[in-house]
Amino acid sequence: MGPILLVTIQVEMHDELAQTLQDNLTDKIMQTGAKGVLIDISALEIVDSFIGRMITNTAAMTHILDARTVLVGMQPAVAITLVELGLSLAGVQTALNVEKGMALLRAHFASESVHGDPEE
């Protein structure tokens, strides 16, 4: 997958597991020099404010490490819940599925190589 890490969340999240995921992800970004992270939440049928905050915090951490985060596979009920909770998922781009998320990241990388990173 080149400079992109794929993270799939297939189990119910809790505080300790979320912390472990964040620690492992930041370590992997540092080890690989990944520039993009796809987080697949298609297996999640419900979320709460904790999961929303975990996703936002993870995206903030990856951004600090110079990687872009795309959240993919969000179920409609999850999107509705996040909006009802008032969570905006700042700094997180979304795509319908892994393929569209990969395309989004690759387009960003291509644009960045032509125009430079506008965030720098």
Side-chain angles (χ1 to χ4, degrees):
M1 297 184 73
I4 299 172
L5 297 175
L6 174 61
V7 178
T8 61
I9 299 175
Q10 301 290 319
V11 296
E12 292 298 319
M13 297 294 289
H14 53 80
D15 292 8
E16 186 176 330
L17 186 57
Q19 184 62 50
T20 300
L21 173 66
Q22 289 175 341
D23 291 346
N24 290 345
L25 181 58
T26 54
D27 287 345
K28 201 68 169 177
I29 290 170
M30 293 303 295
Q31 291 169 2
T32 64
K35 294 295 184 186
V37 177
L38 283 176
I39 300 176
D40 181 3
I41 62 167
S42 59
L44 295 180
E45 295 181 8
I46 57 170
V47 294
D48 57 15
S49 60
F50 170 75
I51 296 296
R53 282 193 315 274
M54 185 273 301
I55 292 168
T56 302
N57 290 345
T58 301
M61 290 175 199
T62 61
H63 180 73
I64 289 170
L65 295 173
D66 196 27
R68 180 172 292 263
T69 300
V70 177
L71 188 66
V72 300
M74 187 179 303
Q75 301 293 327
V78 170
I80 291 168
T81 302
L82 290 174
V83 169
E84 288 176 349
L85 291 171
L87 296 173
S88 63
L89 300 180
V92 180
Q93 289 186 290
T94 60
L96 287 179
N97 54 42
V98 171
E99 292 80 19
K100 291 185 180 195
M102 292 286 283
L104 188 64
L105 284 172
R106 287 186 175 128
H108 172 74
F109 297 152
S111 174
E112 201 173 71
S113 69
V114 171
H115 303 292
D117 188 353
E119 295 178 6
E120 291 182 356

